[in-house]
Every structure is written in structure tokens, then in C-alpha cells.
Amino acid sequence: LMFQLSAVRGGQFSLALLLRHSRCALGAGRNACTPTASCAIRTMASAAAARFPPCEISRSGPRLVLFFDVNKTVIMSDPVQGKGPCEVLNDVIAEAAWGRTYTDDSGALQWRDANVALSVEPPGDDPSLVSFAAFTRVLYPKPAMGPELSRDKRIDLMKSVREHRSKLTSTFTNDGCTGSRYKGIFDELASQLEYNGTVDVIIPSFFRLLLSLHASEREFTIVFRTFGDDIDRIRADLDRFCEGKHPRFPSTSFDGSHGRQDLRISEEGSFFRSGASSDDAVLIRGKAVAQRATIQETIEAVEQQIGRNAPMVRGFHELQRFFESGLTARAVTAYRDHFACWSANKELAPYAKIGFADKSGRENTLLLFFDDNFKVKEILDLRSRDTFEPLPVDVTDGTFAVKVEPLHALHE
């Protein structure tokens, strides 16, 4: 809602929608582009922009704490799955290409392109249409994993499923592959990541979002949340931007000098989860440490590595307080979430990236989560700040969590 539209007009009108706490849906049903047109992505983004006219950003309201997923949201790579920009861009297109499934003569399930417009939403009212990426999730579903399986075995099973899906989606537009007719779209997206012969790390629309937030004079905190080992890459590219060394934004200055805001990463940390209960969740503040199978093993490892006074936040109550109070003391932070725990538990929400939401509207701090996998996978574990009970997607969608559409975020 906010992030992908920031790619179109520097984030101003989309940011206003965010500040209004809107439940509007981006591109509901009709944002499409033809795979043969060189202006395909621009056509899609322009259609999205036309739905929301520019409006002034309010300076009042609660402080914004904006949580951003990293892979396919802020950067177009995925170290966890060993994917670079080419593979991720293929994944992005596979999520927006629509077709129909059928069973061939051998009884195998297949997918046939419907020759409809590329779209982030199902085009038209035809329930038989399914994206190619969704087809791979049907073709290779999550495996049955009983309690008799070890944690390592469960992780290996989920890894195998992801690899089978990825083999199809990450080569989708390659010559001879199912989506080869979308090669022109791939080339258009790839060109958005190149500038003066170099490939972007953080996509430009995210930097424009920071500029718009700063211009609004609204108090905000940015929190990167990643399952991968990419915080150092994020830090290096963000430093370039903040210190006026980024080739796309050579005149920016957000390094704390001359009274300007410092938007460099000021704290790192690691989340650990060994179960779905409050006692099974902890945040270790500081440089990333090895993630163990249990919380107790993690704490012992941290104490050996950092010392017995290592700063940590444990349990839902303390984490909620930290999210609403502790984070507001810093402008930008970055934390690694516990991928192994999520994977070992069939990628279910109670083991995912934890967060809290206040449905009462009385908050002084508004927590908002942005993730390309929201509503596609159980990537977020959003809970009530009062009861700590999990909140269903239909409650959080558009109010506390937003699905980022990479196709829109990539367009300049």
C-alpha cells in the first residue's frame, strides 16, 4: 500500500494513506501490463497511481515504527535460498503470471499460460486462474511432519520443498522455460536495478520513502527484519546513502552531521524462538550470534560469546514494551529472525516474525509491518498488545500489515 506506491511518486500520497491508517488495497483486481510492451511495468504502476490522487502528509499522529522485511521487499536477492537478483526477479514475475492447471496424459499436474495481462491480483473474475508461483506450491506442498521427526529432519524436508519450487520459479522467464514469453518484463525489471553500470543493493524506491518520511517531519523508526545474513549488505548500502556517497542520491546527508537526522543502522540483534509460547521468544540485542535449537541453549551460547550481562528482551510482554518504547529511541535498527525455528515448524505463523498490534486506536506508537510474503505465507506472528493472542490476517491486513508488491516497488 505505502511502499510499492512510493516507487511511483516518491512516497508522498502513499505515505499519506499510511498515516491515515487506511485499509485500502493496492491494485485490487485490475493492475495489469502486457508482457510484450516495453512500458509494461510503467503501465501497471500508473494504473495503481491513478487510484490514489496526491494528498498532503499529516505531521501529527503517533510515532511510526515501520518493520520492513528485507528479501524481495528492500533488496532483490535472497541469501537464505542462495538467490541473486536474476533468480528473485524471475520469482517476482512468476507470482504475477496467470494460467490454468491441467493433468497431462501421464497424470502429472501441469500449468498452461492463460495469455492474460501480468498482474499482482487475479485478473477478472475467473476462479480457475492461478499464478505460476501458486501452482508450484500446489505441485510441491508442505510435507507431513509428525512429532517423531527430529528438528533437523523437519528442516531438511522443508528445504527440499523450497528447492523444488524454486527450481521452477527462479528460471521462469529463461529460454525454453514456461514463462519465456515474459523475458521482456524480466529485462525491464533488471534495468530498474542498474545505474551507471552497477546493480543496486537496496532498491531506489526505499530510499525515496526515507526522503519522504523525513520531509513529512513525522517521527519514525525503521526496523529491518530478515531471515537471512544480509544485514551487513544493508548497512553498507544505507551508509552510502546517508553519507552522500550513493550514485543515485549524491546530495543526501543523513549521517547526523550539521544537525541532520542520522538514519544509519544504530543497533543489530537476533530473535530466537523455540516454540509458540511467550517464554520461547527472546531478542538478543547486539551483533548476530549463533541461533540454537532451544532458548536455554541460545542464552548459554550468548553468555559464552558476549558475557552474562548480554542485553536481551524475553517474553511477549517485554518484547511488546520494547517494540513500543525501546525502539523509539533509535531511528534505524536491524534484526535477524529465527529462520530455522520457522522452517522446522512447517513455516507456521506461531513461529514466524513476531509483532504486536493495538486494535483500540489509543496507541502513541503505531507499529506497521511490510513484507512481500504477507498473505502468501505465514510469515508474520502478529499478536494483540493486550492479550498476546494471535490476530487473524483479516484483522491485520491493511491496518497493521501490508503485502509489498515487488513489481510496483521496483518501478521508478
Side-chain angles (χ1 to χ4, degrees), residues 3-195:
F3 183 62
Q4 52 266 57
L5 290 182
S6 72
V8 183
R9 297 190 184 175
Q12 292 186 9
F13 71 96
S14 52
L15 192 61
L17 290 174
L18 179 151
L19 302 186
R20 289 176 181 175
H21 214 186
S22 170
R23 282 189 61 88
C24 295
L26 171 66
R30 299 294 184 274
N31 294 325
C33 59
T34 58
T36 57
S38 62
C39 63
I41 308 302
R42 294 184 181 88
T43 301
M44 178 185 288
S46 297
R51 291 171 54 89
F52 305 107
C55 52
E56 189 174 343
I57 301 172
S58 171
R59 297 181 181 181
S60 61
R63 182 186 183 93
L64 300 171
V65 180
L66 308 179
F67 295 82
F68 284 94
D69 169 52
V70 171
N71 302 309
K72 264 201 320 183
T73 298
V74 173
I75 66 174
M76 292 298 129
S77 61
D78 189 346
V80 169
Q81 298 192 55
K83 294 182 179 182
C86 290
E87 291 78 15
V88 167
L89 292 181
N90 270 294
D91 287 343
V92 168
I93 296 171
E95 289 281 4
W98 298 87
R100 296 179 177 86
T101 60
Y102 67 96
T103 303
D104 65 18
D105 293 340
S106 68
L109 187 65
Q110 303 288 349
W111 183 89
R112 180 183 291 117
D113 196 304
N115 292 313
V116 297
L118 201 67
S119 173
V120 300
E121 297 284 346
D125 300 317
D126 187 346
S128 68
L129 291 175
V130 60
S131 72
F132 183 75
F135 159 72
T136 67
R137 292 190 285 271
V138 174
L139 192 63
Y140 297 106
K142 293 180 182 180
M145 297 193 297
E148 73 281 358
L149 295 178
S150 69
R151 177 178 180 271
D152 289 344
K153 180 62 175 177
R154 296 197 303 272
I155 291 174
D156 288 343
L157 286 173
M158 287 303 301
K159 180 180 179 181
S160 177
V161 168
R162 287 192 300 272
E163 288 175 346
H164 278 98
R165 295 172 180 171
S166 178
K167 186 176 181 180
L168 298 176
T169 60
S170 64
T171 59
F172 182 59
T173 69
N174 291 7
D175 291 342
C177 293
T178 306
S180 59
R181 82 183 191 96
Y182 296 100
K183 185 62 166 59
I185 298 291
F186 173 90
D187 292 339
E188 175 78 8
L189 292 177
S191 71
Q192 300 292 340
L193 292 177
E194 293 185 8
Y195 187 80

